[in-house]
Amino acid sequence: MEIYSHRRRLKVYTRPLARLIEQLQRLPGIGPKTAQRLALHILKRPDTEIQALAQSLIEAKQQVGLCQVCFHLSAEPVCEICRNPTRDNETICVVADSRDVIALEKTREYRGKYHVLGGVISPMDGIGPEQLSIQPLVQRVSGQQIKEVILAISPSVEGETTTLYVGRSLKLFTKVTRIAFGLPMGADLEYADEMTLARALEGRREL
Ligand code: ZN
């Protein structure tokens, strides 16, 4: 796709600049204006700075994978949270996405382990339970001494389906609770402030 001005279909940007703007615009939250501003800013920066930026993009993509145990983002086979011996080994908090782990860590209220599902059940998008890391979670919980599993999945229709499904899969093995959201339906865990999240965690109830 080339970028033309709408009315006269003139080519506005020289080709490499158009390509850069096009790539930036693919990022979430970046519209055409922001993409243009970022691209022009990048052109003004020293070569070394832009090389460091490009290098960090490639290295992050190459080196960051998923933790074998909890499926959180990790550069090591097992992530720092799973390896941390001071954390409570008998509590697992189940979230949809790695972003939710980061949000919960920021509250500093939770000292257990996590399990990242990698999304929520959404038949409309072709995502069933087998596309998520639910089976590894069931294995983890059934094979270990786990006191409690806390389900912390954003309250949407899909989130609700996922919470109920995961809850049913785990109930045989351990106590399952869900966090109490003071959040409206459809709200995102990631965007809840730390106080609200901490309170939601505190006010969890048994499923
Ligand atoms: Zn982990």
Side-chain angles (χ1 to χ4, degrees):
M1 187 191 79
E2 282 190 33
I3 297 166
Y4 296 99
S5 84
H6 285 300
R7 223 170 296 153
R8 292 189 291 157
R9 298 188 64 79
L10 264 177
K11 235 203 250 185
V12 185
Y13 304 112
T14 185
R15 230 177 185 334
L17 181 56
R19 272 200 299 265
L20 176 57
I21 292 172
E22 194 190 310
Q23 291 303 321
L24 290 169
Q25 228 177 298
R26 291 175 179 214
L27 299 171
I30 310 277
K33 276 191 182 163
T34 308
Q36 178 189 298
R37 190 160 55 80
L38 289 172
L40 296 180
H41 173 80
I42 285 168
L43 293 183
K44 281 190 215 145
R45 303 309 301 163
D47 284 1
T48 49
E49 195 179 310
I50 301 311
Q51 264 150 18
L53 172 65
Q55 194 64 24
S56 68
L57 283 173
I58 292 164
E59 280 176 9
K61 183 63 188 156
Q62 282 174 343
Q63 294 170 12
V64 180
L66 299 181
C67 169
Q68 289 169 357
V69 179
C70 74
F71 296 84
H72 183 36
L73 295 173
S74 176
E76 308 289 332
V78 177
C79 77
E80 272 174 52
I81 297 173
C82 285
R83 279 183 290 146
N84 186 339
T86 69
R87 296 189 73 121
D88 171 12
N89 236 334
E90 297 182 319
T91 308
I92 297 176
C93 182
V94 178
V95 295
D97 199 275
S98 265
R99 284 174 304 186
D100 304 326
V101 173
I102 295 162
L104 283 159
E105 282 298 284
K106 283 185 184 163
T107 70
R108 296 169 190 275
E109 287 289 311
Y110 181 67
R111 296 298 300 158
K113 303 285 170 92
Y114 290 95
H115 193 92
V116 181
L117 295 177
V120 287
I121 297 171
S122 177
M124 294 254 285
D125 303 308
I127 303 171
E130 56 290 338
Q131 268 81 47
L132 306 172
S133 65
I134 295 175
Q135 199 45 46
L137 172 65
V138 174
Q139 277 170 10
R140 206 178 151 191
V141 172
S142 61
Q144 271 183 61
Q145 186 63 37
I146 302 293
K147 269 195 309 221
E148 183 180 353
V149 172
I150 304 165
L151 304 177
I153 297 162
S154 295
S156 62
V157 175
E158 293 83 7
E160 204 49 33
T161 307
T162 311
T163 294
L164 296 176
Y165 184 91
V166 174
R168 268 204 308 270
S169 313
L170 298 177
K171 259 182 169 173
L172 270 174
F173 307 108
T174 187
K175 178 180 164 188
V176 182
T177 59
R178 61 183 301 175
I179 65 171
F181 268 105
L183 296 173
M185 192 79 167
D188 224 321
L189 202 69
E190 192 197 351
Y191 299 120
D193 65 85
E194 285 156 33
M195 206 50 188
T196 308
L197 259 186
R199 241 183 279 133
L201 204 53
E202 220 176 294
R204 64 188 185 272
R205 55 192 156 71
E206 197 152 352
L207 194 76

